[in-house]
Amino acid sequence: MIKVLLVDDDVDLTAMLVEYLAQENFEGHAVHNGEDGVAAALGGGYAIVVLDVMMPRLSGIETLRRIRQSSRVPVLMLTARGDNIDRITGLDLGADDYVPKPCSPGELVARLRAILRRTEPQPTPAASASAAATVKAGPLLLCPGSRTATLEGRTLDLTGTEFNLLEVLARGAGHLISKQELSQRAFGRPLSPFDRRIDVHVSSIRQKLGTRGDGRSWIQTVRGMGYQLVTD
């Protein structure tokens, strides 16, 4: 069973979610404060973390910040409905996605499965198959099998969601890719109005790529339309 860590101070909610997750082939464990959440996320062997933003003492945002200092474990944030500041901050710190509260257990499970599908390494039957699956765009090299990426020989420290987005851009290097297409191919769902998750993730990827020799960003924005990875 897939191990899921729930970090939320709502004891009744997490107890209900643990029961529901068990029916969906997930092994859920709950902790109820940020300090315990950090310790469990870093040492518990969990496949994914569900993290509530609104917690006393140590907030979900600070908990995520501490997790991301040492781990790339996928994180799904639970945010207050309509609170765009927390959502953007969470994504900027490396959250893979968010779900507004209250949400149904079914929606939560669907999001968990979607994140795990796009962040888990995909095994290949042989080394030759793995080599053939690499994506090269100028000095950028991505290996989807191992979910590793290098730029000019430098290893990039990407979250699973960032890797997915960069892979889509690399496969279409030199061509404009709309935000809607990025969302469909990287997240597996359409981009809703006023959703800024693409912009926040791309901003983080830009920082990790650094600038080209001419001072430009590797990822160019076409305002109102989308993004393009440049390699020449």
Side-chain angles (χ1 to χ4, degrees), residues 148-199:
T148 57
T150 60
L151 177 65
E152 298 175 332
R154 172 174 56 90
T155 300
L156 301 174
D157 183 19
L158 302 172
T159 66
T161 297
E162 290 168 355
F163 183 94
N164 277 19
L165 284 168
L166 186 55
E167 181 182 356
V168 174
L169 290 168
R171 290 185 184 278
H175 300 280
L176 173 67
I177 301 178
S178 70
K179 293 182 183 180
Q180 193 61 248
E181 183 178 357
L182 275 171
S183 183
Q184 287 283 10
R185 292 172 61 184
F187 300 148
R189 65 176 184 273
L191 192 68
S192 59
F194 311 110
D195 191 336
R196 291 198 55 201
R197 77 187 70 202
I198 296 288
D199 303 307

Side-chain angles (χ1 to χ4, degrees), residues 3 5 29 38-47:
K3 291 181 65 176
L5 174 65
H29 297 268
V38 173
L42 297 183
Y46 293 97

Side-chain angles (χ1 to χ4, degrees), residues 16-124:
M16 181 270 290
L17 289 176
V18 166
E19 289 185 10
Y20 186 89
L21 287 168
Q23 300 172 28
E24 299 292 333
N25 202 36
F26 289 94
E27 181 184 336
H29 297 268
V31 296
H32 304 296
N33 62 73
E35 291 91 341
D36 289 345
V38 173
L42 297 183
Y46 293 97
I48 192 166
V49 177
V50 178
L51 177 60
D52 186 29
V53 168
M54 297 297 293
M55 290 189 296
R57 295 164 53 192
L58 192 68
S59 72
I61 295 297
E62 181 58 30
T63 300
L64 174 62
R65 191 191 311 275
R66 297 186 186 185
I67 291 172
R68 280 290 174 258
Q69 289 174 353
S70 306
S71 174
R72 297 289 98 190
V73 62
V75 175
L76 175 66
M77 301 290 291
L78 299 178
T79 67
R81 189 172 296 277
D83 193 340
N84 289 324
I85 294 177
D86 280 341
R87 295 177 185 178
I88 291 171
T89 302
L91 292 172
D92 195 42
L93 288 173
D96 292 271
D97 206 348
Y98 61 80
V99 174
K101 294 177 73 175
C103 68
S104 69
E107 179 184 4
L108 181 66
V109 167
R111 292 292 184 91
L112 290 174
R113 286 183 172 143
I115 293 172
L116 289 170
R117 279 197 302 270
R118 68 178 187 248
T119 57
E120 288 183 339
Q122 300 300 311
T124 51

